[in-house]
Amino acid sequence: MSPDYYTRLEQRRGPQPGEHMLASIARALRLAGDERTCLYRIAGHNAPASLSASAHVAPALLRVLDRLDDTRALVLTELGETLVQNRMATALSGDASRCTGPARSAIYRWFTDPAERLVYPDADRDRRSRARVANLRAAHGLRGPRSRAGDLVRTLQKASEEFAEPWERHEVAQRFEDHKTLIHSEPGAIELDCQALFTEDQSQTLLVLTAPPRPGPRPVTAPDSAARRRGGAFTRLRTLPCPARQA
């Protein structure tokens, strides 16, 4: 959506926006639920039902994401769909928001695309399978069998024989590991700490991935003019691991 297009909309000179464009406008303006509904009605559309409105990123999560320029961060739905990610997360995992259909869900990709598992150590993959299914079980229990979570369960039951075993465990969890190891083709294993912030209705999660601190001296730069005025304090540089994919 270009600034010129939005200007013409405000001046009532542009074409009637469709639902996809309205979703983009609502996200750009950081509209809350009622405000988003009002926007759709003004434009002559019915607002999507609340349980199917997962494509609309919670404004509070977006405000936090905007401030995380030097940290890998992304917003996920309860089905593991990437709604938005910052440039650091894109460098780590690629642009997962471009996936379409069932493949938008990291849970679906985990059981149908072998490449999704290559970023985790072999010994950790069984635990990852159970964790992803436990997250889906939590969403299924909260939303019901006729929800998008129910649709994903039925799709996976047809697409993956492996999915059946962890699903029958009836394990329920809505959390992410506090610490994980990812495998990159060049630097090898990369350790990351993981923190999750949920919306009040548990439908979306802001996931933040940071490299744990390493022992030893940190590199420094020459002091800038402001630092010299404070007595010659040095500015510390952050040392970041090389990018890798994150499933």
Side-chain angles (χ1 to χ4, degrees):
M1 179 177 59
S2 67
D4 179 66
Y5 176 83
Y6 184 74
T7 298
R8 286 187 285 117
L9 283 181
E10 287 189 327
Q11 297 173 348
R12 298 183 180 181
R13 295 188 294 112
Q16 187 79 351
E19 292 186 6
H20 178 75
M21 182 57 66
L22 290 173
S24 297
I25 293 173
R27 177 180 298 182
L29 297 178
R30 308 294 199 258
L31 299 183
D34 291 341
E35 295 169 331
R36 176 174 171 274
T37 297
C38 181
L39 173 67
Y40 273 76
R41 289 176 177 171
I42 290 174
H45 294 277
N46 293 322
S50 58
L51 292 183
S52 64
S54 59
H56 179 62
V57 185
L61 296 187
L62 275 176
R63 287 194 293 271
V64 177
L65 183 69
D66 287 343
R67 289 162 172 79
L68 298 174
D69 291 334
D70 62 349
T71 301
R72 301 165 183 85
L74 61 158
V75 177
L76 303 168
T77 70
E78 58 193 351
L79 302 183
E81 300 157 329
T82 299
L83 299 180
V84 62
Q85 56 194 130
N86 64 11
R87 62 182 182 85
M88 291 291 289
T90 301
L92 176 72
S93 61
D95 189 0
S97 64
R98 293 185 178 182
C99 296
T100 59
R104 290 184 61 214
S105 168
I107 304 171
Y108 178 87
R109 297 196 305 271
W110 180 263
F111 286 99
T112 60
D113 183 1
E116 285 290 306
R117 305 189 180 198
L118 297 180
V119 297
Y120 287 95
D122 291 342
D124 193 37
R125 292 174 186 174
D126 180 66
R127 185 169 63 91
R128 292 295 303 166
S129 294
R130 292 174 60 181
R132 290 184 183 273
V133 174
N135 281 329
L136 178 56
R137 175 71 72 174
H140 185 272
L142 181 64
R143 308 302 178 190
R146 301 180 67 179
S147 65
R148 294 177 63 245
D151 292 339
L152 181 57
V153 170
R154 289 185 287 273
T155 299
L156 279 169
Q157 287 173 332
K158 296 177 181 178
S160 171
E161 295 182 359
E162 183 188 353
F163 173 77
E165 192 275 330
W167 180 253
E168 291 303 319
R169 289 175 177 265
H170 292 270
E171 295 174 330
V172 180
Q174 192 174 31
R175 66 179 302 277
F176 296 84
E177 289 89 346
D178 296 331
H179 186 84
K180 62 177 63 179
T181 300
L182 303 182
I183 307 298
H184 190 273
S185 58
E186 295 180 4
I190 299 175
E191 295 185 9
L192 294 171
D193 288 332
C194 178
Q195 296 294 324
L197 175 65
F198 294 88
T199 55
E200 185 176 356
D201 64 359
Q202 305 291 299
S203 65
Q204 294 181 12
T205 308
L206 172 64
L207 195 63
V208 180
L209 301 167
T210 58
R214 297 293 186 185
R218 298 184 180 182
V220 296
T221 64
D224 58 22
S225 58
R228 285 193 295 268
R229 288 194 296 270
R230 293 192 298 269
F234 286 88
T235 301
R236 287 181 175 176
L237 291 176
R238 293 177 180 268
T239 303
L240 298 176
C242 297
R245 287 189 62 211
Q246 192 264 328

